Amino acid sequence: MNPRTAEAAREQAVADLRTVREHWGDLLAAIETPPADTWPPRQLAHLMRPTNDGPELVADRAPLVLRDYPAPLNLDALDAGTAVERQVFDLCDTLAAAVQLPAAAGDPRAWVLPTHSASVTHRAASPGSRIHGLHWACVWVEGRLLDDDTTGPDALFNRLPGYLLDEAAGVAARAAGRVLGALGLDRRHTPISRPCPACGGPLTLHTDPDGPPTVTCAQGADCPAAVPLDRSGRRVWEWPAVLDLGPELTAAA
């Protein structure tokens, strides 16, 4: 891999890991949200959660693979979350085994591998650094991608070789895609089953991981809704005006 290609792969992997981190709390909330045809859609519901107890600290949430969900409300979101956790945790194990130096032992920046019991279940006797959760694991992988703590007398890691950069980039891309897909944030255009409250025309929900969701009415200028037209000539409810559609669409259901 030439230096320019390697740098591009490194930057994209870091961006994908940050996407996972930024949306991880939303995915955890989606597990507790039924995937029914209700308003607001799941990708908006996480923005409307009560905040009486202050912002949720994702780092304080136990890893999904270490928790029990006897009756999750959204199995698709749970499956996505557990798959992403396992992929990222396994990547951390692989990178630590390859580039972590003995000097890192006991250092808080080190990744601690899980230990396994001798029982027939082969369950981990200790989860190691996995106990800190997905958010911390993504930060740790990012550090390896950026070759942090690899120079000087206090170096804790070797530089990441090209073959492991490829593996990390692949895992990061798949994890970001799985999280965004589970949340409906992968540039989708989803028809809404309820009609436009202003003209009865068909509505479409547009989601994009790089911006807030919008809703459009296909009747365009013929729709009397007090919202602007987009570049395609459709009436468009942008954020936060999208929230104004909730009670009206619910009543029309």
Side-chain angles (χ1 to χ4, degrees):
M1 183 183 294
N2 64 59
R4 181 173 298 179
T5 301
E7 186 59 27
R10 196 184 310 273
E11 291 178 358
Q12 184 59 55
V14 168
D16 287 337
L17 289 170
R18 290 178 179 175
T19 294
V20 173
R21 288 165 49 200
E22 289 167 1
H23 291 285
W24 189 245
D26 301 336
L27 185 63
L28 295 180
I31 293 171
E32 302 167 2
T33 304
D37 183 18
T38 57
W39 187 270
R42 189 169 67 252
Q43 58 265 44
L44 300 187
H46 75 275
L47 297 172
M48 300 173 66
R49 294 198 304 268
T51 56
N52 296 335
D53 297 328
E56 179 182 51
L57 297 177
V58 176
D60 290 342
R61 298 293 295 267
L64 292 172
V65 295
L66 301 181
R67 276 192 276 164
D68 290 325
Y69 266 103
L73 296 178
N74 190 324
L75 286 174
D76 288 342
L78 178 59
D79 288 345
T82 53
V84 167
E85 272 193 345
R86 289 193 179 97
Q87 290 169 4
V88 175
F89 288 162
D90 288 347
L91 174 64
C92 289
D93 291 346
T94 298
L95 299 186
V99 303
Q100 190 162 274
L101 299 173
D107 192 285
R109 292 166 290 181
W111 179 263
V112 180
L113 297 171
T115 58
H116 296 276
S117 66
S119 70
V120 293
T121 63
H122 299 293
R123 289 189 175 183
S126 170
S129 290
R130 298 182 180 210
I131 193 67
H132 301 308
L134 188 283
H135 192 275
W136 193 84
C138 285
V139 172
W140 189 87
V141 173
E142 182 177 329
R144 307 293 67 75
L145 286 165
L146 298 177
D147 288 327
D148 290 345
D149 302 311
T150 58
T151 59
D154 298 324
L156 302 180
F157 308 95
N158 287 320
R159 295 175 66 87
L160 200 65
Y163 76 94
L164 286 179
L165 171 58
D166 282 344
E167 182 171 351
V171 171
R174 291 191 295 273
R178 191 73 186 269
V179 170
L180 293 176
L183 291 171
L185 292 175
D186 52 352
R187 292 186 177 88
R188 294 184 182 181
H189 309 284
T190 308
I192 296 176
S193 60
R194 301 166 180 81
C196 172
C199 70
L203 295 177
T204 301
L205 173 69
H206 308 271
T207 59
D208 190 311
D210 298 322
T214 62
V215 171
T216 59
C217 175
Q219 298 287 39
D222 293 333
C223 174
V227 294
L229 297 173
D230 67 6
R231 293 180 179 178
S232 299
R234 302 167 299 189
R235 291 293 179 191
V236 57
W237 286 261
E238 298 180 334
W239 188 264
V242 170
L243 299 179
D244 297 336
L245 292 172
E248 294 170 339
L249 291 182
T250 301

